[in-house]
Amino acid sequence: MSKLNSVNPSNQALINGQPSNSLSVFDRGLAYGDGVFRTLAVENGVPNHWPLQYQKLANDCRALQINCPSQALLLEDISLLFGMNEHAVAKIIITRGESVRGYSYSADIMPNRILIKSSLPQYPASNSLNGVKLHLCELRLSHQPKLAGIKHLNRLENVLARQEWSDATIAEGILLDVDGSVIEGTMSNVFARFGNILLSPDLSQCGVSGLARERIINNAHVLNLEAKVQKLSLDRLMRADEIIICNSLFGTWQAIDFNGKKWSKQLLSEKLSALLQQKELNHV
Amino acid sequence: MSKLNSVNPSNQALINGQPSNSLSVFDRGLAYGDGVFRTLAVENGVPNHWPLQYQKLANDCRALQINCPSQALLLEDISLLFGMNEHAVAKIIITRGESVRGYSYSADIMPNRILIKSSLPQYPASNSLNGVKLHLCELRLSHQPKLAGIKHLNRLENVLARQEWSDATIAEGILLDVDGSVIEGTMSNVFARFGNILLSPDLSQCGVSGLARERIINNAHVLNLEAKVQKLSLDRLMRADEIIICNSLFGTWQAIDFNGKKWSKQLLSEKLSALLQQKELNHV
């Protein structure tokens, strides 16, 4: 597997605003995955789409009854860790805080906020230009409506799914749920275009609702597309005019090779990537 | 909620054999819950039922393709952290190791081993003497056969389930799965006795297979009970002659109050607790 992601000294972190690369072993993020995260680009000191990212972070914290730190604190952290001439990736992790053994916790538990800086991922230019090859994952996502949509720290399903391929020409794996419905990629969301309908899978039972997905859904009309969120079977996905995957770091890529079928490269992914780069878009 | 589990200075830890209470923020245990754990009592420097605990740890690591540290290393850690005149709890966490962003990892990734010492839990004596009240959890466990049975670090379902009650007279919550089958407690396994049949729920779709559960299943015949592992509906559980919960720290407790029904206290839980305290038992 790639060594690109091995830890090197240029990776830096703040914990609760203090420079530190180490977290208490009593943190419930480690013990139980009891926390949430966001991943976003920071350009010249400015976190991309910050109000929307913070809104999702706060919503995810609320769903788990974690006290979300204020925007002001998180923005101060970002200004401390990211230089004004730097383009890099911020990962924000909010854990419930520290406790010793046991799933219960004190009412006055204090969350830990962790900010990690890493370099922008270096994806092959051909991913955007020519499209990508996708793997159909064998692992099926389980249904847990109480956690569905939340970007929480329980990501073993994603880890196991990512173990399924080592072929570097495969850019991403597509995950189905236990019922065989298409849900998402291991690190991305999925769209299927049928004519002028842009369909994204329903995530009420499982999956993570990324910001790029939501921004595309809310702004597809700009490209004369009608966005719909529906259950999506694999059979139906295979009949799509185009399959597009997205996340906040790479924008969008079109699938040209998936599950034994090939698609010719079209132009929607470029248009959607351009749309995602606009700073001011509708967000309902 | 209880403050018993707030962190205090007497909690101590080793990371990879070195005294330390802090772990790298790049550890995948934090990022993804990418690791496994065991919890066991250590008496006078001797970890209880060590060969069986290590076997389960190694099996769980293998299921996730994590390199499990050797028994010798872990036993050395325990001898460093636990005094010869001490009765305390060891929590062993093995994470896949460190990486930065991304679900993939280097083939040469090195696991981190964390050993945490905490004091023995102080449960009310009446739990054993008179039995306990149980809560029926609203949260339903999701089905994920690739993770079922494994004591991994993705425990948000347990955290959410434990949030459902704050009444200190409730000792544990019983979890059903998405199909309504009885699976386990939030921190324990469940048995239902029907005559001389001792039934434990099937854990092939979800749940954690604790060591106490397995030792009871493998040795129930000593008490003239026939152990069976089967799907168990809530209706059937409610008709049990006795409901018993177990884990490696408290042994066994009988339920006397659950889901609107009361049971008189019987003697099986004492017999099973005594059985669990025996050092040499069959383990098939």
Side-chain angles (χ1 to χ4, degrees), chain A residues 68-122:
Chain A
C68 189
S70 71
Q71 283 203 58
L73 272 176
L74 293 169
L75 286 173
E76 192 181 326
D77 289 353
I78 290 170
S79 72
L80 283 170
L81 195 61
F82 290 79
M84 290 307 293
N85 299 312
E86 197 172 29
H87 287 213
V89 176
K91 181 168 181 178
I92 299 170
I93 300 176
I94 309 296
T95 73
R96 189 181 305 278
E98 296 162 31
S99 66
V100 291
R101 288 191 332 90
Y103 293 114
S104 68
Y105 51 88
S106 307
D108 59 358
I109 193 167
M110 295 285 292
N112 280 326
R113 66 182 201 275
I114 301 157
L115 175 65
I116 298 174
K117 179 167 75 176
S118 56
S119 41
L120 286 170
Q122 299 296 316

Side-chain angles (χ1 to χ4, degrees), chain A residues 6-270:
Chain A
S6 60
V7 177
N8 70 56
S10 72
N11 294 118
Q12 291 175 295
L14 296 182
I15 299 182
N16 297 326
Q18 301 298 314
S20 172
N21 278 355
S22 60
L23 184 72
S24 167
V25 291
F26 302 108
D27 191 280
R28 293 170 63 97
L30 171 68
Y32 308 127
D34 194 3
V36 300
F37 72 103
R38 306 298 316 168
T39 305
L40 59 157
V42 179
E43 298 183 19
N44 300 320
V46 180
N48 274 350
H49 312 296
W50 175 253
L52 302 177
Q53 290 283 7
Y54 182 77
Q55 185 184 335
K56 290 185 79 70
L57 185 75
N59 287 346
D60 285 354
C61 280
R62 192 173 307 117
L64 300 183
Q65 299 183 36
I66 290 172
N67 292 314
C68 189
S70 71
Q71 283 203 58
L73 272 176
L74 293 169
L75 286 173
E76 192 181 326
D77 289 353
I78 290 170
S79 72
L80 283 170
L81 195 61
F82 290 79
M84 290 307 293
N85 299 312
E86 197 172 29
H87 287 213
V89 176
K91 181 168 181 178
I92 299 170
I93 300 176
I94 309 296
T95 73
R96 189 181 305 278
E98 296 162 31
S99 66
V100 291
R101 288 191 332 90
Y103 293 114
S104 68
Y105 51 88
S106 307
D108 59 358
I109 193 167
M110 295 285 292
N112 280 326
R113 66 182 201 275
I114 301 157
L115 175 65
I116 298 174
K117 179 167 75 176
S118 56
S119 41
L120 286 170
Q122 299 296 316
Y123 296 114
S126 69
N127 285 10
S128 297
L129 290 172
N130 306 320
V132 296
K133 184 175 174 183
L134 305 180
H135 163 76
L136 176 60
C137 293
E138 184 206 333
L139 179 134
R140 300 293 184 97
L141 293 171
S142 60
H143 283 185
Q144 180 48 273
K146 301 230 180 223
L147 294 173
I150 301 173
K151 223 176 182 86
H152 56 67
L153 299 176
N154 278 201
R155 302 255 70 94
L156 268 173
E157 289 185 324
N158 305 60
V159 172
L160 294 185
R162 185 60 189 83
Q163 285 177 347
E164 292 185 21
W165 79 95
S166 53
D167 176 352
T169 70
I170 294 173
E172 174 61 312
I174 296 296
L175 285 155
L176 312 182
D177 70 1
V178 287
D179 291 344
S181 292
V182 177
I183 301 296
E184 63 187 0
T186 68
M187 57 159 188
S188 62
N189 286 114
V190 179
F191 285 90
R193 184 179 67 78
F194 301 90
N196 72 334
I197 303 289
L198 191 61
L199 201 152
S200 192
D202 172 67
L203 303 181
S204 58
Q205 296 299 310
C206 52
V208 172
S209 173
L211 182 58
R213 170 182 182 267
E214 295 199 4
R215 294 178 68 232
I216 289 173
I217 290 171
N218 290 328
N219 294 281
H221 60 90
V222 173
L223 301 176
N224 295 315
L225 292 167
E226 182 184 354
K228 287 190 177 177
V229 174
Q230 281 180 0
K231 269 177 87 89
L232 174 63
S233 70
L234 179 61
D235 279 355
R236 193 167 170 209
L237 179 67
M238 296 308 294
R239 294 193 302 271
D241 297 321
E242 285 183 78
I243 299 173
I244 307 264
I245 60 173
C246 68
N247 79 19
S248 287
L249 295 183
F250 67 69
T252 61
W253 295 332
Q254 186 199 324
I256 55 167
D257 187 342
F258 172 59
N259 195 24
K261 182 172 171 180
K262 304 210 176 196
W263 284 259
S264 60
K265 179 68 175 71
Q266 301 171 67
L267 295 178
L268 178 58
S269 62
E270 276 84 351

